[in-house]
């Protein structure tokens, strides 16, 4: 398959190929020992403190850093990914900051591209990844995670009419990264990439999503916590994600709107409100205020 | 005495001392590594360096040179590429557009998808690709695949697969030729390509040669060897060069090289593989890619060979009278997306396919 540059190919296929300053060399050594074995996978460490991942004796990946835990080994990759090696095999998971960013974009963002002819011949492609909110705190969270994961800053635009802020990043790398995860496959659609999230990532994704398209309402002393969206499939995946974490969300409800379009939603049962607040929560200041009040009351009741 | 940039002794190179300019590549990864810059996954961490055999201080010997076999020859007819040859996903039936009544005279089926999916491979091998896919047109087998798979397959494996799958034509086996790796590696790979192209002459299946190489000399050399053997249809895997915006560095010379080798232009044909867009500067070249389908999955719409987000105001309210749309505009596809996602996606995919297959430019109203 390889044509063009080996470095670019590695970036595209393995999220590797980053430059490392390794100093001038007169010779090159290669001693190593085994760190851990999971089934057909083996992790070896070298004299220089580097790691190699072997499958049935063949080198499949190499890394400069590793976090060795009891049940798994994590290798940092670029663009906010980690390679998780465990008894279940190997998978790419995202760091929590990236999961948060994805949750926010899934709820209130977009990820798109377009290719256009240039006036003087040739073509150019524009790539846009954006998050929309009228809440400065959420825009700040989006910027912070984008900076942490991709090392990129966003441009802000404010719509005068309603104060809606757009935080926009123009980057081919981010566009393809999120497209490959199938995060926003079509207009008004999203997916929860559960296979790329560990428990911490799942919580961060849900928190990001809930901050955008979550709803906390108080009426007559009754509080409801509700996820809503136009995308039924994505919403079902959010329910699954919550179930993975031990929640028992209620079934999806459809609210028909004129012109045949529908909004879907589901509720978190009241018995799990405190669990939700403690484990997931929200960054939206309006949610946070109510949650804090509920926690005070909830804890008071337990005493 | 000739020394490569990285310090390797090019004077002792068993390959083409005249054809090869020696390793003077500015971007040579071995050279960079020795001077202090390495790349994770390729030359770093150093104990797992993939280019160690090509490194003068790496402490491993170069693999022995591959001998160039005496070349046989056979008169070959062109495969007959249409302007656009859609690639399909053999594992995703939604890309099997003929089931929805759309036509194409040929498709590319990628071999690597079969190799990484044992169930589908077993199924397709037992009855052949035609029966497996239920497609009446020509099925062209694409051998373009990841490097790890390339290294695993020998001639006899290809022969067995091709005999089982029974495609109407097959590419010769793919290789890897990186512009920033030592030339010894890319020359070895290109000689392997020619050697396998020679083996493939024994097959009854019509053949598609490959245009590959880390530089123009290599491309030209491999191409001329294939012409000598009688190849008349060629595919140039160009996804990487296209994305790196370097296609213009190579393509005009490939065309010159081909034109020099044949008496008449009509004697050969060239297809760009992996480029999901029409290149207006190059006439009479065919294309193939899966992007008509991949982009549809992402809600992207082709118009005159360029792609747009469905919501893009440039095309959003432009009616399309192709067989798939029948007067619908992108906004109608968005609306349909809410009612019946599968149908909307398939309509969009079929529209993309038809747009890429169009020969004439559209008229803007
Ligand atoms: Zn070199
Ligand atoms: Zn159409």
């Amino acid at each position: 398959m390889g044509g063009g540059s080996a470095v670019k190919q590695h970036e595209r296929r393995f999220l590797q190929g980053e430059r490392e300053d390794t100093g001038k060399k007169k010779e090159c050594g290669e001693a190593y020992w085994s760190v851990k074995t999971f089934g057909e996978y083996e992790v070896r460490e070298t004299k220089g403190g580097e790691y190699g991942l072997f499958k049935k004796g063949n080198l499949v990946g190499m890394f400069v850093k590793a976090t060795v835990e009891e049940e798994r080994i994590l290798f940092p990759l670029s663009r906010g990914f980690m390679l998780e090696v465990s008894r279940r095999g190997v998978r790419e998971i995202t760091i929590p900051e990236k999961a948060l960013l994805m949750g926010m974009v899934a709820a209130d963002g977009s990820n798109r591209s377009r290719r256009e002819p240039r006036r003087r011949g040739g073509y150019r492609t524009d790539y846009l990844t954006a998050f929309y909110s009228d809440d400065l705190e959420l825009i700040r969270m989006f910027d912070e995670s984008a900076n942490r994961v991709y090392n990129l800053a966003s441009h802000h635009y404010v719509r005068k009419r309603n104060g809606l802020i757009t935080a926009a990043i123009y980057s081919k790398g981010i566009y393809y990264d999120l497209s490959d995860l199938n995060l926003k496959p079509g207009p008004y659609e999203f997916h929860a990439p559960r296979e790329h999230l560990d428990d911490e990532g799942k919580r961060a994704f849900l928190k990001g999503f809930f901050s955008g398209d979550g709803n906390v309402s108080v009426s007559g002393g009754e509080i409801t916590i509700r996820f809503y969206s136009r995308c039924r499939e994505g919403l079902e995946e959010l329910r699954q994600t919550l179930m993975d974490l031990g929640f028992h969300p209620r079934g999806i409800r459809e609210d028909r709107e004129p012109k045949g379009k529908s909004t879907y939603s589901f509720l978190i049962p009241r018995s799990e409100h405190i669990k939700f607040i403690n484990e997931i929560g929200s960054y939206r200041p309006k949610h946070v205020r109510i949650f804090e009040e509920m926690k005070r009351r909830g804890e008071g009741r337990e005493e | 005495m000739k020394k490569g940039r990285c310090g390797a002794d090019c004077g002792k190179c068993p390959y083409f001392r005249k054809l090869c300019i020696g390793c003077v590549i500015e971007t040579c990864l071995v050279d960079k590594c020795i001077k202090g810059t390495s790349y994770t996954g390729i030359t770093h961490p150093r104990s797992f360096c993939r280019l160690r055999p090509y490194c003068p201080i790496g402490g491993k010997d170069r693999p022995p040179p591959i001998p160039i076999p005496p070349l046989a020859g056979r008169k070959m007819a062109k495969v007959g590429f249409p302007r656009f040859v859609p690639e399909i996903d053999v594992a995703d039936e939604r890309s099997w557009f003929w089931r929805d009544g759309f036509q194409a005279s040929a498709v590319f089926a990628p071999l690597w998808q079969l190799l990484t999916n044992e169930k589908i491979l077993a199924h397709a091998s037992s009855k052949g690709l035609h029966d497996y896919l239920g497609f009446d047109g020509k099925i062209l087998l694409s051998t373009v695949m990841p490097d790890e798979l390339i290294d695993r397959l020998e001639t006899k494996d290809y022969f067995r697969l091709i005999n089982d799958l029974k495609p109407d034509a097959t590419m010769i086996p793919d290789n890897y030729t990186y512009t920033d790796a030592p030339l010894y590696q890319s020359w070895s790979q290109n000689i392997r390509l020619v050697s396998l192209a020679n083996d493939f002459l024994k097959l009854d299946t019509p053949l598609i040669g490959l245009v590959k190489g880390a530089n123009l000399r290599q491309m030209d050399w491999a191409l001329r060897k294939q012409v000598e053997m009688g190849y008349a249809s060629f595919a140039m895997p160009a996804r990487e060069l296209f994305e790196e915006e370097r296609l213009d560095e190579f393509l005009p010379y490939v065309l010159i090289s081909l034109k020099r080798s044949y008496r008449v232009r009509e004697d050969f044909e060239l297809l760009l593989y992996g480029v999901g867009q029409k290149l207006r500067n190059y006439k009479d070249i065919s294309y193939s890619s899966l992007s008509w389908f991949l982009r549809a999955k992402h809600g992207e719409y082709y118009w005159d060979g360029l792609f747009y987000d469905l919501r893009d105001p440039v095309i959003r309210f432009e009616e399309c009278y192709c067989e798939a749309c029948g007067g619908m505009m992108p906004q109608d596809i968005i609306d349909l997306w809410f009612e019946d996602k599968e149908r909307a996606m398939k309509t969009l995919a079929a529209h993309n396919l038809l747009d890429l297959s169009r020969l004439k430019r559209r008229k803007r109203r």
Side-chain angles (χ1 to χ4, degrees), chain A residues 176-230:
Chain A
Y176 275 111
D177 185 33
L178 297 181
S179 298
D180 289 347
L181 287 162
N182 204 16
L183 184 68
K184 299 274 298 179
Y188 310 105
E189 256 200 287
F190 75 92
H191 283 292
R194 281 162 67 221
E195 66 279 22
H196 294 291
L197 301 171
D198 60 0
D199 285 357
E200 204 184 342
K202 283 177 180 164
R203 287 192 281 270
F205 185 90
L206 288 166
K207 186 169 188 174
F209 190 95
F210 191 81
S211 302
D213 276 349
N215 174 276
V216 187
S217 60
V218 192
S219 104
E222 283 294 312
I223 289 166
T224 52
I225 297 181
R226 195 163 64 113
F227 279 82
Y228 64 91
S229 172
R230 287 209 154 170

Side-chain angles (χ1 to χ4, degrees), chain B residues 4-8 23-25 28-31 54 181-183:
Chain B
R5 224 185 132 85
C6 57
C23 262
V24 290
I25 331 168
C28 173
L29 292 170
V30 171
D31 175 45
Y54 308 102
L183 290 173

Side-chain angles (χ1 to χ4, degrees), chain B residues 301 320 322 325 351:
Chain B
Y301 182 88
C320 173
C322 78
C325 301
H351 160 88

